[in-house]
């Protein structure tokens, strides 16, 4: 069974702090996406990671991929309020479609 | 580009009525996806099309749901008859690349409420 697990599911953190969201998946994947969803809004693509060891950074967000461990991380540095959103990972399992994780709802507290 | 366009944005209907959701993908994109999002089940892929042909409809919950893509610029998702448990946000997404797993661009969604 193709499974994608994110943890934590809910995360409250103070502004200025660092934290990491984890995405574990059940079988081989060489490509993985991260998406962001604001409350009541659509999903927006953040990163695509295309190979083992890939690292992408945009502002205070950095994503990495370890295909051997079947793990991707999304690291938040010095969080600010406008990063509050739900973050989804979505690996490509080679079955012609993406499988989305459960999502991590991030709330940044002033 | 206008992005993926969905209509209506909100739909409230009564149980037993027919509901039709519409999607216009980004021009030039050749794959189109329909998703459903609920608090309980998260984001579920219902069906996807490649070059207007349905490729995988294994996520369609039951025969009450049907989807069509008559041309490259238009798709519909129909529910008949609708039930309260169909209440959800329905997203359409499209991809530009040669594979169905290129970056998906999502529409704004249709929030469906079945009373």
């Amino acid at each position: 069974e193709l499974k994608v697990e994110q943890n934590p599911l809910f995360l409250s953190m103070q502004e200025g702090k660092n934290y990491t969201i984890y995405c574990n998946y059940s079988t081989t994947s060489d490509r993985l996406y991260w998406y962001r969803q604001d409350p009541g809004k659509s999903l927006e693509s953040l990163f695509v990671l295309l190979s083992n060891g890939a690292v992408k950074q945009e502002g205070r967000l950095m994503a990495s991929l370890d295909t051997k461990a079947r793990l991707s991380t999304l690291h938040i540095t010095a969080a600010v309020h406008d990063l509050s959103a739900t973050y989804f990972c979505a690996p490509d399992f080679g079955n012609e479609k993406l499988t989305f994780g459960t999502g991590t709802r991030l709330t940044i507290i002033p | 580009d206008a992005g993926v366009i969905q209509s209506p944005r909100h739909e409230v209907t009564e149980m037993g009525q027919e509901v039709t959701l519409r999607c216009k993908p980004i021009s030039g994109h050749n794959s189109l996806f329909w998703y459903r999002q609920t608090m309980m089940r998260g984001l579920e892929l219902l069906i996807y099309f490649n070059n207007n042909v349905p490729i995988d409809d294994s996520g369609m919950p039951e025969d009450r749901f049907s989807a069509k893509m008559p041309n490259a610029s238009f798709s519909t998702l129909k529910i008949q008859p609708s039930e309260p448990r169909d209440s959800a946000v329905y997203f359409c997404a499209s991809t530009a690349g040669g594979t169905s797993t290129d970056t998906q661009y999502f529409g704004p969604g249709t929030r469906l409420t079945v009373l």
Side-chain angles (χ1 to χ4, degrees):
Chain A
E1 184 185 354
L2 302 177
K3 279 189 161 181
V4 183
E5 294 182 347
Q6 291 183 233
N7 67 83
L9 297 182
F10 299 93
L11 174 59
S12 290
M13 53 189 295
Q14 286 188 312
E15 280 189 326
K17 299 291 187 182
N18 303 334
Y19 210 82
T20 301
I21 297 170
Y22 297 88
C23 172
N24 292 90
Y25 50 93
S26 59
T27 190
T28 303
S29 172
D30 290 330
R31 177 160 50 175
L32 186 142
Y33 295 83
W34 283 95
Y35 285 83
R36 168 184 172 144
Q37 184 178 34
D38 291 305
K41 303 293 186 181
S42 186
L43 280 80
E44 173 191 356
S45 176
L46 293 174
F47 301 109
V48 54
L49 303 167
L50 297 175
S51 61
N52 186 41
V55 177
K56 293 277 185 74
Q57 183 164 6
E58 180 73 33
R60 300 174 187 274
L61 299 178
M62 183 173 71
S64 66
L65 179 62
D66 182 343
T67 58
K68 294 179 181 178
R70 300 176 186 170
L71 170 69
S72 181
T73 61
L74 181 65
H75 186 73
I76 302 140
T77 302
V80 293
H81 180 69
D82 65 5
L83 291 179
S84 295
T86 299
Y87 294 86
F88 294 91
C89 65
D92 170 9
F93 289 126
N95 57 348
E96 294 287 310
K97 55 192 178 185
L98 298 182
T99 303
F100 282 81
T102 49
T104 295
R105 182 176 293 182
L106 173 64
T107 303
I108 309 298
I109 303 167
Chain B
D1 198 317
V4 176
I5 298 171
Q6 291 186 247
S7 64
R9 296 291 305 276
H10 302 273
E11 176 82 24
V12 180
T13 191
E14 292 188 344
M15 183 173 64
Q17 296 297 306
E18 175 181 305
V19 174
T20 299
L21 311 181
R22 296 172 176 79
C23 175
K24 177 179 169 56
I26 294 172
S27 177
H29 284 197
N30 56 14
S31 291
L32 182 141
F33 304 79
W34 282 101
Y35 290 91
R36 177 172 69 176
Q37 187 177 39
T38 61
M39 289 295 293
M40 291 298 294
R41 301 176 67 89
L43 194 64
E44 304 173 276
L45 177 65
L46 301 177
I47 185 171
Y48 80 91
F49 296 83
N50 187 264
N51 293 322
N52 312 338
V53 176
I55 302 299
D56 186 340
D57 65 355
S58 60
M60 296 285 262
E62 47 197 277
D63 292 345
R64 297 185 297 107
F65 286 69
S66 63
K68 294 182 179 179
M69 191 165 186
N71 57 62
S73 60
F74 183 65
S75 177
T76 59
L77 178 68
K78 185 180 292 186
I79 308 171
Q80 181 184 21
S82 58
E83 297 182 3
R85 60 194 168 117
D86 302 330
S87 297
V89 180
Y90 291 80
F91 288 104
C92 176
S94 66
T95 65
T99 71
S100 299
T101 51
D102 288 319
T103 299
Q104 295 185 18
Y105 295 87
F106 282 75
T110 295
R111 183 173 295 275
L112 173 64
T113 303
V114 183
L115 302 175

